[in-house]
Amino acid sequence: HRVEVVALHLDWLSRAARARQIRSIASVLGAPESSRIVLGDTNAMSPGAFGRTHDDTVRELAERLGVRAPSEPRLTFPSRRPFWALDWILATPDLSFVDLETRATRSSDHAAIVATIALA
């Protein structure tokens, strides 16, 4: 089974810059032709996200790349005491999340996300 994996790291300062990056990525990739997994640091923490775990960056990313987010965000930043959901794994509907967890790490200021994904 073919699976396309897209790794990204979006702008950390500007929601507008993240939106431009998402549009650019979507224009290059187009709609999924097979299973697709999108993962990486979305930096979804613009001022509009205060009081919430993330802003609407992930929703836009999912819509434009034809993937869906897990039902619950995983808090990944800062690694020692996560408050923000900055790092995500998203997948096309033909894939299902069997397990999804975060793990603290000393090698990054973000916690790692580990996923088990199965063909639905």
Side-chain angles (χ1 to χ4, degrees), residues 82-105:
F83 175 79
W84 300 97
L86 301 189
D87 306 276
W88 290 77
I89 300 175
L90 303 99
T92 47
D94 64 320
L95 301 173
S96 62
F97 291 94
V98 175
D99 189 38
L100 191 64
E101 64 182 78
T102 57
R103 296 183 186 167
T105 176

Side-chain angles (χ1 to χ4, degrees), residues 40 53 70 72-89 97-106 108-116:
T53 59
E72 291 293 321
R74 298 305 189 267
L75 304 180
T76 60
F77 184 82
S79 181
R80 285 199 251 173
R81 227 172 151 191
F83 175 79
W84 300 97
L86 301 189
D87 306 276
W88 290 77
I89 300 175
F97 291 94
V98 175
D99 189 38
L100 191 64
E101 64 182 78
T102 57
R103 296 183 186 167
T105 176
R106 292 183 196 172
S108 175
D109 57 342
H110 294 245
I113 296 182
V114 179
T116 302

Side-chain angles (χ1 to χ4, degrees), residues 4 6 8 22 25-27 29-38 57-69 89-95 97:
E4 176 184 50
V6 179
L8 49 78
I22 291 167
I25 292 166
S27 72
L29 294 178
E33 294 179 9
S34 63
S35 298
R36 177 181 282 171
I37 297 171
V38 177
T57 297
V58 176
R59 179 197 50 77
E60 181 180 357
L61 185 63
E63 287 175 2
R64 290 193 180 265
L65 295 183
V67 293
R68 61 184 169 73
I89 300 175
L90 303 99
T92 47
D94 64 320
L95 301 173
F97 291 94

Side-chain angles (χ1 to χ4, degrees), residues 35-51:
S35 298
R36 177 181 282 171
I37 297 171
V38 177
L39 54 92
D41 183 352
T42 66
N43 275 313
M45 60 177 193
S46 61
F50 284 122

